Amino acid sequence: MNPLATFLSGSALLILFVYYLGTVAQSRKRWAGTLLSLLVSVFFLVTYAKMGLKKGIDLQGGSTFVIQLKPGTNDDGSVKQVGKDSVDQAISILEKRLNPDGSKDMLVQPTGPDRIEIQMPGVKVEEIEGVRKTIQQVAKLEFRLVHPQSGGLESKIGYVKLPVKEDGKDSEKELLVKNRADLDGKYVKQAYAMPDPNKGWMIILKFNTEGAKLFGELTSAHKGERLAVVVDNVVISAPNLNDAIFGGSAEISGKFTETSARALASALENPLENPMVILQEGTVSAAFGEATIRQGMLAGLVGLALTAIFLAIYYRVAGMIALAGLAVSLISVVGCMALFQFTLTMPGIAGLVLTIAMAVDANVLIYERLREEMREGKTLMAALDAAHDRAFTAIFDAHVTTLLTSLILLELASGMLKGFAITMIIGVFSTLLGALIVTRVSLHWFVDPGIITKLSVAEIIPHRVYQVMKYGKQFVLWSTALCVIAIAGILLKGEHSLGIDYRGGAKISFKLAPGKTLTEQEVVTAVNGMKVKHEGKDEPIGHVYVQNSHTAGGVDMITVRTEEFAGAAVQTKIEHDFKDRLAGTNLDTVGALIGKELAGRSAWAVGLALIGIFGYLYMRYEFSFALGALVSIFHDCIIVLGFSVIFGQELSLVHIGAVLTVVGYSVNDTIIVFDRVREIIRSRQGTITELMNEAISMTFSRTLLTSLVTFIPMMVLYLFGGPAMREFSLPIVIGVLVGTYSSVFVASPIVLWHARRTGVSLHKQLRSEPDEAALAAP
């Protein structure tokens, strides 16, 4: 889109938004809000139509690599440490090697002082091995003289034995060559491949002016001797110097294939100053990505449809009006991602589903307050304004905590989880727009003229006071037992409770073709006894764990877990042996170093989220409330992680994203309860226990409703979204159930227990009034 048009449109929408907030007259506010809602929808729909959504590698297929630069060697033999210049040079070289003509939509960017991330959409599975070699090849070219008695000597001062390649393949032969280069490859200004008249392909080198002079002097001084062409400490060829070469060019012949000759020529023309190792890799075939999109979209549409049906049945006319706000929220999220070209990933689809739940949650909160206001005898118009005003504080606090956890995830996460964090951040603002402006304005169009004078709402929980605080101790004991079971589940599985994100390794997922089957034993038999070259030696691949899975959406998957170095070889072997039965593959490898770092970052993410939420609630409420929320969240995190392991999952970075989502969701529920407790204590008379029971009972309906509208779409994702979606949705499903329970039955008893134990706050323990009935609480 035209940047100027985008800027002017955004400015106009911002001015209209400010006018909406500033105007007092209801008729003008109604018109301004309506115009704002329509223009926002049109703006984002046009943006999406023109720019579209940028799909992540997990959805369109391709590869992503995280590589680390290692110290290199300077010309004088000293160590060349990794610095900013080294990273910049490596990025430039990698772009030239991997995208020489600039036609590929790839991304190469630094991710730390010695790390680089490479994203290559659209790369075919059969091309990945070549990409790995291209990335890791330093291509340090040297010319070294060969000792005249190389074949008969084992060692000689000033010389070193290096392996030799014959016909482009590794061999057992070695040559005794100078231990320092007689001429360095830095003088090469051009390298290209061309057919070899004898056999195969060869590489032509062109030297710069200084290099041509030095090469001529070297060949002139050593006529009749052999000069080894060494690349990365391997002898590629060692021709005899029959005459001096002053033409400024040289040939490297080694019976190359066209592909290997072109790759080596590109590498020699763009050598790296620091060697690199691949720490993490993810590869998704195009077919696997297409299947993920279909599964995610199906799950999202089914979840949206079920949510819409639920709203229409329960809230009737008000529910249908709320769908307008929900539609604008979703349009805003998708349009904003298109405008800023944020990448849509698989977790991002889950974020869209959760945005639906957030939007419904805000509307449910407003409608439940509306029902209470009307119970007190207010007119519908007065009740509508009062409901929005009184619900605003709880909605704002809940969205702030969700924004906080999403920002932490955005900062500390990497790869696809950033897509989830971005979707949730945009969702926070779009939900506020939909619930506080679109739905409110839409309702006023029906209420102000008197078209609607009464709202009929179903009731699933009878309106009465429940004695929740009476059983506070029992609830806390039950929660403690659940936490013990969860921790025991993790401890019993030991390191097998951790996925490759944390302990390193490789995970290969194979999507079976429709109507095809592949047993676990067939896979184990196919890879049994395999050996893979690792660090110069043939290593057995070790233990292989194979799992077959099936989803309600009709997708069959085979997942294979093995050692990191064996992942690519196992993938190639299975694809070759069972190619007629497979429809797509996905490879993820994580080195042990990355695993340790991810574990540390995950702990930081959860820890910062807990500290941030505690501090915010302490400022907004009081210490007792903040403590109750912290204990409740900690309880939820333990149970979500533990029961995910008990139900057969391995903990990964995806689970940390899910846990942070659950933290935000749980705190939302807790804030709603706390907000009502604070309001009741301020405005009514009675004992602490009575007032807290009344406040909690008033939020039961809202808590159950929002849990249902969140549970439904996430359960649909779990059933129909495929294995990758199931990994993300299961912990959230568990978290919704546990978070709903803890916000009522754990957080509130803890608040009362702390206030009574310390005698501080809860409005000085309701003016220090004795409350013997509350002694049953812990």
Side-chain angles (χ1 to χ4, degrees), residues 355 495 623 754:
T355 297
E495 68 171 11
F623 183 83
H754 180 267

Side-chain angles (χ1 to χ4, degrees), residues 749-764:
I750 293 294
V751 170
L752 181 57
W753 168 78
H754 180 267
R756 292 190 58 80
R757 186 177 182 87
T758 61
V760 177
S761 214
L762 266 189
H763 289 282
K764 293 296 182 181

Side-chain angles (χ1 to χ4, degrees), residues 308-325 363 367 370 380 439 442-447 451-458:
I309 292 170
F310 174 79
L311 283 174
I313 292 175
Y314 190 82
Y315 286 113
R316 297 162 192 175
V317 175
M320 299 301 293
I321 293 173
L323 291 178
N363 282 291
Y367 286 166
L370 177 61
L380 181 57
T439 304
S442 300
L443 278 170
H444 271 292
W445 276 109
F446 291 94
V447 174
I451 298 174
I452 297 177
T453 56
K454 181 180 179 182
L455 286 177
S456 178
V457 180

Side-chain angles (χ1 to χ4, degrees), residues 1 44-61 105 121 293 296-297 329-353 419 422-423 426:
M1 289 185 67
F44 283 126
L45 283 173
V46 171
T47 300
Y48 172 73
K50 288 190 175 183
M51 304 185 69
L53 281 178
K54 183 179 178 182
K55 292 184 290 187
I57 285 176
D58 57 331
L59 297 182
Q60 67 170 315
D105 180 23
I293 293 176
M297 295 306 296
S329 295
L330 287 177
I331 289 171
S332 300
V333 173
V334 175
C336 192
M337 292 188 69
L339 176 63
F340 295 103
Q341 284 296 282
F342 293 134
T343 302
L344 178 65
T345 63
M346 178 190 61
I349 294 177
L352 285 174
V353 175
I422 289 171
T423 306
I426 299 172

